Amino acid sequence: MNKLLTFNSLSYRTSLQPRMVQPSLTVRKEGVGRCTKVHRNINLEKLRNGYLFTEIARRELQHLEKYPNAKVISLGIGDTTQPIPDNISMSMANYARALATAEGYRGYGAEQGNKQELRKAIAETYYKDVLVKESEVFVSDGSQCDIARLLLVLGSNVTVAAQDPSFPAYIDSSVIVGQAGDLEDEVGKYCNIEYLECGPGNNFFPDLKGTSRTDIIFFCSPNNPTGHAATQNQLEQLVEFARNNGSIIIFDSAYAAYVTDGCPRSIYEIPGAREVAIEISSFSKFSGFTGVRLGWTVVPEELLFSSGFPVINDFNRIICTCFNGASNIAQAGGLACLSSEGLEAVHSVVDYYKENTRILIDTLASLGIKVYGGINAPYVWAHFPGRKSWDVFAEILEKTHITTVPGSGFGPGGEEYIRISGFGHRESILEASRRLEALF
Amino acid sequence: MSLAPQSISTSMISSSSSAFLSPSNLNFNSRQNAWVQAKRISVCKCVAAPQEEKIAYKTKVSRNGNLGKLQAGYLFPEIARRKAAHMLKYPDAEVISLGIGDTTEPIPEVITSALAKRSYALSTQEGYSGYGAEQGEKPLRAAIASTFYKDLGIEEGDIFVSDGAKCDISRLQIVFGSNVTMAVQDPSYPAYVDSSVIMGQTGEFQKDAEKYGKIEYMRCTAENGFFPDLSTVARTDIIFFCSPNNPTGAAATREQLTRLVQFAKDNGSIIVYDSAYALYISDDNPRSIFEIPGAKEVAIETSSFSKYAGFTGVRLGWTVIPKELLFSDGFPVAKDFNRIVCTCFNGASNISQAGGLACLSPEGFKAVHEVIGFYKENTDIIVETFNSLGFKVYGGKNAPYVWVQFPGRSSWDVFSEILKKTHVVTTPGSGFGPGGEGFIRVSAFGHRGNVLEACKRFKHLYK
């Protein structure tokens, strides 16, 4: 177990996947000490898929051991690399310093976030035209945490649909909360989850006519990992589908800032969405706050359970009971991000990553590799027909010392694909491009 | 103040921070078209108002029955709501808050400099860091291990840094799942019971007993020295135990904790030991459950920088899960907790962690003890005040809480009386469980001037 925890202390890694079961467990039982009589949570036993990012980190480490002089370039985990703009970090520093003064000290904040300032700024910056109220905005320490809290609100008796491929936290959290049923090993799918296949064949939007009703529909746009941003028309279909089925969409808009071509940035741009959708978002990929930890969730007042009880009331209860608010320093930073100076600075960084992504797309396209995404998201989704994604991952790592992410890590629909992320220093991206050109 | 169009059988008072549930007045965006949206009538009452449901669109998603079991809002938002209502009623009153245990004194500069330094560093190439390890930054984990668990056989790898104990409690509950049984002290910090209800571990609330079904309430009273008679406690999988205790202030002795550990061992249970107030201990009582031999095989410990470093808003805490703690099938509990931490969390803020590290430097730790000393002096003043008024007073020696007895009286009534007549906010004991009835918790966090003034007012009221 110590070995496993060592991997987790690699600072560049994010662990978003179920954990691999270690075969040495049974030996431990005799060796270490008495067991309690507390049964392990069977839901956690169901997380039997390989733990994606730990495995990637492990392979990267192994690779470094094999080639100690190799300059490994990480285009795997979507971790931001560029410094936070000065005015934002200055705001956080000033806020921190003020905590040493009588006037500037703050204790517990509102669990929902600083209403007068940050919630208001979020509502005004992102939702002005769609009239989301500040009271509907809940500031958090990030989307991964919000997803778990939302599922806690919803409980184990709801059914869930997720895109295939998708960000692994949706399905993993669903398994943990007990919604997913058993894993069908042969197909790599949980039996109670409805997988919405998204691929080039259907323009990365699921065929809703062939889709069963579920209570909850996770939908991420711009999409991680495919990079596809759903069109207005596609989202209208989704909202209509949800309305007809009485379902709740959990819309992940973490990459909205990367939209280039006019696709909707918020689900609430779609009429009728307020009664069927929750939206989650994050400062992580927008402001480089992956370590600072800040995000938000919008729960409209009109969103009601079948009894008529407002979802927002239950979400608020969870926030007050299972959470204690995002760090006040992070919130000060968030506020600075949303000032006009801050927005300008942050968008420069977003543009930087977008340029990185363009370079990668151009490189791969010039090599005759079919690529998707990359226009509205910092991810390139490259197709290697007929090949297993882990094999391609391994080949790229071995021959070019570049870490990517095998598509099957995001679900069976990701097989044959590789996700390459556009986060990195420009020199690394250019060097990576050169190496890929040499390989392919 | 309910938003709900209600015709459900239980009347829910969804309390929250005071201004949250403002009346809603839906405007229509001209881009919204075909679907009719209900224009909700603004209500601002404490009780749910019936609505015209045929207009309001409802999804077909059933509400989580577990949340329906919760009787009211979480305790502290309710206190905040009452305080706000009182301030509206008496706008000129100088309300003093000795209710919610919120720290008031500034954070020592040696610590805020570290917070500021890390913030600045994030805008440099060399200093920028993205995602951190979800378990926390290694230097901080190491510092926590060596500061609090030296010689106890707890290592850096056993420490999981978090954004606070309240969040950790829920993450632990997610690890345990809905099929475990749990025991709590009565009275106790409300998050243990509430999170258990939310996870589905409990039965319905029984109004006569004021308890949730399936929870084992371990009564802690003045008569039993605020330590439960374990011979009367049924076996449960999980035992929440807080020492020094919130709200009673009682710190369990080595002998008592030895019995608790033995009880857990005999029953194959897991203790979740909340040591958030350990540094407030004045005497020799154990500061960590791991001081008790054998505890590593039966206990998890959770703690926090909130009440030590004034980090209530900064958000930083930790949980210790020893490698030796195993589920019935031999699977290490730490592995499952690690999985939850990696999947449902993304680490504490890197800036907060830099602050935590500074707290544990020699200079920082000294400064932290000074602030704790300040709050302890506050506590002494409050204890002395109520003693002098002839009240039976408990706690206050090893914790920043004073547990004052008002025999035969409803604690919410006493709370209201104190608020109305002295403009001082306290916390009614029954908010912590039926065992808290007849008590008021007075917290000692506050500026010295406010604490002195509050005591003056108490003396005036109860002389």
Side-chain angles (χ1 to χ4, degrees), chain A residues 130-383:
Chain A
V130 296
L131 294 176
V132 164
K133 299 203 208 106
E134 66 195 64
S135 56
E136 295 171 325
V137 176
F138 292 79
V139 178
S140 74
D141 61 330
S143 297
Q144 198 158 282
C145 320
D146 276 340
I147 288 161
R149 283 188 280 262
L150 280 166
L151 293 185
L152 212 56
V153 169
L154 297 166
S156 55
N157 289 334
V158 296
T159 52
V160 166
Q163 288 165 290
D164 179 22
S166 70
F167 178 56
Y170 314 141
I171 292 181
D172 280 15
S173 299
S174 186
V175 173
I176 286 167
V177 172
Q179 299 158 346
D182 290 317
L183 178 69
E184 288 158 22
D185 279 304
E186 329 79 56
V187 290
K189 294 184 175 183
Y190 289 92
C191 61
N192 289 352
I193 294 186
E194 181 75 7
Y195 288 76
L196 309 173
E197 276 176 37
C198 291
N202 58 13
N203 200 16
F204 292 96
F205 189 77
D207 171 19
L208 294 174
K209 282 190 242 15
T211 299
S212 304
R213 181 196 177 276
T214 54
D215 293 306
I216 310 302
I217 305 169
F218 278 102
F219 199 91
C220 177
S221 178
N223 190 262
N224 173 11
T226 69
H228 177 77
T231 62
Q232 175 90 11
N233 181 272
Q234 286 172 336
L235 292 181
E236 282 171 1
Q237 290 177 53
L238 182 67
V239 168
E240 187 183 0
F241 180 72
R243 287 189 76 95
N244 291 340
N245 283 336
S247 307
I248 297 176
I249 299 166
I250 297 178
F251 188 81
D252 187 344
S253 66
Y255 300 97
Y258 290 79
V259 168
T260 308
D261 62 7
C263 286
R265 288 164 191 249
S266 163
I267 191 65
Y268 303 115
E269 294 182 32
I270 311 301
R274 284 177 61 84
E275 290 162 340
V276 294
I278 290 168
E279 181 159 307
I280 61 178
S281 195
S282 170
F283 283 84
S284 285
K285 307 299 163 64
F286 172 59
S287 311
F289 270 29
T290 37
V292 174
R293 307 309 316 147
L294 193 71
W296 72 89
T297 289
V298 178
V299 186
E301 289 167 354
E302 295 94 311
L303 185 67
L304 309 176
F305 287 115
S306 54
S307 61
F309 194 86
V311 176
I312 195 174
N313 287 13
D314 275 349
F315 189 68
N316 189 59
R317 186 49 153 105
I318 296 297
I319 294 300
C320 292
T321 310
C322 305
F323 185 50
N324 232 329
S327 175
N328 50 13
I329 300 171
Q331 292 193 59
L335 198 58
C337 288
L338 302 182
S339 68
S340 47
E341 194 193 344
L343 280 172
E344 202 185 314
V346 147
H347 276 114
S348 293
V349 182
V350 167
D351 284 342
Y352 181 93
Y353 294 132
K354 284 167 83 160
E355 180 61 24
N356 281 354
T357 317
R358 258 194 297 276
I359 291 168
L360 291 167
I361 293 178
D362 287 347
T363 301
L364 292 164
S366 75
L367 294 167
I369 296 171
K370 237 186 149 64
V371 284
Y372 303 95
I375 296 171
N376 291 308
Y379 298 120
V380 181
W381 192 235
H383 193 196

Side-chain angles (χ1 to χ4, degrees), chain B residues 272-329:
Chain B
V272 175
Y273 188 82
D274 187 342
S275 65
Y277 301 97
L279 290 184
Y280 285 80
I281 293 176
S282 302
D283 50 32
D284 278 331
N285 291 321
R287 281 134 171 84
S288 164
I289 190 67
F290 302 116
E291 292 183 38
I292 310 298
K296 292 212 283 290
E297 289 168 349
V298 294
I300 289 168
E301 181 159 308
T302 185
S303 193
S304 171
F305 283 85
S306 284
K307 308 297 160 64
Y308 294 165
F311 270 28
T312 38
V314 174
R315 309 308 316 146
L316 194 70
W318 72 88
T319 289
V320 183
I321 310 197
K323 300 174 219 23
E324 294 88 328
L325 186 67
L326 310 173
F327 286 115
S328 56
D329 64 352

